[in-house]
Amino acid sequence: MATLLTVDVAGGFLTVRASGAAAAKAALSGGAPTPEHIQLLVGCAVPTGVPGNGTALRFPDCALHVLPSVVMLTVAEARLTVGFGELKPLMFQPVPVDGALRSVFSGAVAHVLAAAHVLDPHGLSHHLFGLAELVLRSALRAELERVDSLVARRREAVEYMREHLADPTLGADRVAEALFISRRRLYQLFDDGQGVSERIRGLRIDRAKALLADPAKAARGIGEIAKDCGFVSAAHFSRTFRQVVGRTPSEFRGR
């Protein structure tokens, strides 16, 4: 039974993953077959009295394993109404899980254990599938909303940078203030390895390349273009341009 989904509810995060490096690569590229089972591994408070080796409830299409500090819920993928393809946005990244959802999950597990001996097994199986879907759908919705919000705020930040590239004092503090967010939050928007300063420098170089390549701007000097792009001097502009592009501005314009 392959482990495809891990939910760290105690830590407030959900991580979707395929087991093994090859399986992970195939899943991300879309080449992996649909898994037979989805597994939710939850670190949360469990009812007192659970033995050290844990307790388990097993059904044909699902299983619930409870250890002193971990709950593992395994369900058949084919019975879920949430398709494996829909879960792709959750894969290989920590996804925050709301505290209310954590409480609902741990409470439901406690009630199941307390009443399992008098509950119909078929109905209990349906109940566990519903619990799995509740966690999946809630976490998926929250993550999609979070991603949409990040994309929108990142776009606003880049637009502000482009509008103020000519200002040599443009930096992270200015951008954060304009967007009414903290400097730390701004850096979280650009978590792809390229910092805010590097992003601004890249936008300035892109504008410089466009100006240098425009025949209509051929009469403009290198110093003017440097000023339009927010560089403090022509010398600084030339050094930075050569570092990034591999040629001086004059060489780039000549080609």
Side-chain angles (χ1 to χ4, degrees), residues 218-255:
R220 304 190 66 187
I222 298 299
E224 291 181 272
I225 291 178
K227 183 178 180 180
D228 287 346
C229 297
F231 290 94
V232 295
S233 67
H236 178 227
F237 168 54
S238 296
R239 287 195 304 271
T240 304
F241 192 91
R242 185 168 188 172
Q243 289 174 355
V244 176
V245 182
R247 293 193 292 269
T248 66
S250 297
E251 291 171 344
F252 182 86
R253 170 178 271 176
R255 291 175 65 91

Side-chain angles (χ1 to χ4, degrees), residues 89-90 95-96 137-153 185:
L90 301 181
V95 178
R137 288 179 175 275
S138 299
L140 181 61
R141 184 184 66 179
E143 176 62 9
L144 291 177
E145 291 175 352
R146 185 188 73 84
V147 170
D148 287 344
S149 176
L150 284 175
V151 170
R153 297 298 277 169
R185 177 59 174 163

Side-chain angles (χ1 to χ4, degrees), residues 85-109:
E86 296 176 83
L87 299 178
K88 290 296 181 68
L90 301 181
M91 295 188 71
F92 306 106
Q93 59 179 327
V95 178
V97 177
D98 185 78
L101 179 59
R102 300 200 299 271
S103 298
V104 168
F105 184 88
S106 59
V109 169

Side-chain angles (χ1 to χ4, degrees), residues 35-183:
E36 290 186 6
H37 294 87
I38 298 295
Q39 187 180 76
L40 291 77
L41 180 63
V42 182
C44 62
V46 297
T48 58
V50 174
N53 59 351
T55 185
L57 298 174
R58 294 181 176 86
F59 307 95
D61 289 334
C62 69
L64 178 68
H65 296 76
V66 182
L67 294 169
S69 60
V70 177
V71 176
M72 184 172 67
L73 177 59
T74 304
V75 295
E77 189 279 338
R79 284 192 56 188
L80 290 172
T81 62
V82 183
F84 182 64
E86 296 176 83
L87 299 178
K88 290 296 181 68
L90 301 181
M91 295 188 71
F92 306 106
Q93 59 179 327
V95 178
V97 177
D98 185 78
L101 179 59
R102 300 200 299 271
S103 298
V104 168
F105 184 88
S106 59
V109 169
H111 285 106
V112 164
L113 291 181
H117 63 288
V118 297
L119 298 177
D120 174 71
H122 186 69
L124 183 53
S125 175
H126 278 285
H127 177 67
L128 293 177
F129 269 97
L131 184 59
E133 289 212 341
L134 176 65
V135 174
L136 291 174
R137 288 179 175 275
S138 299
L140 181 61
R141 184 184 66 179
E143 176 62 9
L144 291 177
E145 291 175 352
R146 185 188 73 84
V147 170
D148 287 344
S149 176
L150 284 175
V151 170
R153 297 298 277 169
R154 187 184 300 120
R155 186 184 304 115
E156 291 177 13
V158 172
E159 288 176 355
Y160 182 86
M161 293 175 190
R162 286 199 175 105
E163 292 173 1
H164 298 83
L165 283 179
D167 186 349
T169 66
L170 178 65
D173 290 335
R174 280 271 308 279
V175 178
E177 182 180 356
L179 269 63
F180 302 102
I181 59 177
S182 67
R183 183 187 177 99

Side-chain angles (χ1 to χ4, degrees), residues 5 23 45 74 139 149 171 211 214 246:
L5 186 71
T74 304
S149 176
L211 293 174
D214 187 352

